[in-house]
Amino acid sequence: MGKASLWRVPVDHFRTLYDNRTRKPDWAAIAFQSFVPLASGLGAWKLGARLQEVDAAVAGVSIVAGLLFSMAVFLFQLRTSLGADKRLGDADYALVDECMSNTLWAILWGLALALFLIVAGGGGWIGAEGSGAILTGIAVAAAAHFLLVIGMCLKRLRRAYERIAIGRK
């Protein structure tokens, strides 16, 4: 796919799921990132939930994804200005880089979720009797993952603020 390929975005995001002390994959975090969305999606499907209208969900996801774009710009500007501060170390740079990886994944995931909702809602399939519960379950799982990743972004942004702006290690 060349220049249009986005494969590095999910790879970079999932590489941030490691234990800082051991530098090995954090299997608990990986399981949590997988189990919570799957469980919520399966739960919605088993309960027979069906989204009848997707307009508000599309608007909400799109707005949040748009706001994440501004966060990505902020992180880019922050990263380019960090070299001037001699107080900072490799861990500070890595924290900002990881926050950027999570933010880019959240943007991509949010755009994909919005597209899914537009297509499934526009075709009338998400509210349909046969396919509605399955598609709603997928939407719920995707939304849960979106929220978890946004939580990771906020957690890392808060930690970057503590380390860089306040100087708290």
Side-chain angles (χ1 to χ4, degrees):
M1 269 182 76
K3 294 181 184 190
S5 176
L6 295 170
W7 69 271
R8 291 287 312 205
V9 174
V11 168
D12 290 346
H13 164 70
F14 286 103
R15 279 191 184 146
T16 68
L17 299 175
Y18 67 92
D19 187 319
N20 281 335
R21 294 177 305 264
T22 64
R23 310 301 288 172
K24 293 182 179 173
D26 184 351
W27 294 108
I30 293 168
F32 187 76
Q33 286 259 331
S34 303
F35 177 74
V36 170
L38 284 173
S40 60
L42 285 171
W45 171 54
K46 286 294 188 185
L47 291 172
R50 289 189 325 230
L51 285 171
Q52 298 301 322
E53 296 288 328
V54 297
D55 298 350
V58 169
V61 169
S62 299
I63 289 169
V64 172
L67 292 171
L68 287 166
F69 269 107
S70 66
M71 185 171 159
V73 170
F74 159 74
L75 289 167
F76 185 86
Q77 290 175 326
L78 175 64
R79 183 63 168 93
T80 59
S81 68
L82 288 180
D85 194 336
K86 303 303 179 210
R87 301 173 299 133
L88 304 178
D90 290 341
D92 300 309
Y93 299 125
L95 183 60
V96 174
D97 293 341
E98 289 173 3
C99 190
M100 179 63 119
S101 295
N102 298 144
T103 302
L104 292 176
W105 175 244
I107 292 168
L108 185 60
W109 191 262
L111 293 174
L113 174 56
L115 179 62
F116 173 79
L117 289 169
I118 290 167
V119 171
W125 304 302
I126 202 161
E129 190 66 39
S131 60
I134 293 170
L135 293 175
T136 297
I138 292 170
V140 167
H145 181 67
F146 187 52
L147 292 174
L148 287 173
V149 175
I150 291 170
M152 287 179 62
C153 294
L154 294 175
K155 179 182 176 185
R156 285 207 164 101
L157 186 61
R158 180 193 60 78
R159 185 65 181 131
Y161 175 78
E162 285 179 341
R163 290 183 65 101
I164 296 167
I166 299 175
R168 187 183 313 153
K169 299 291 176 191

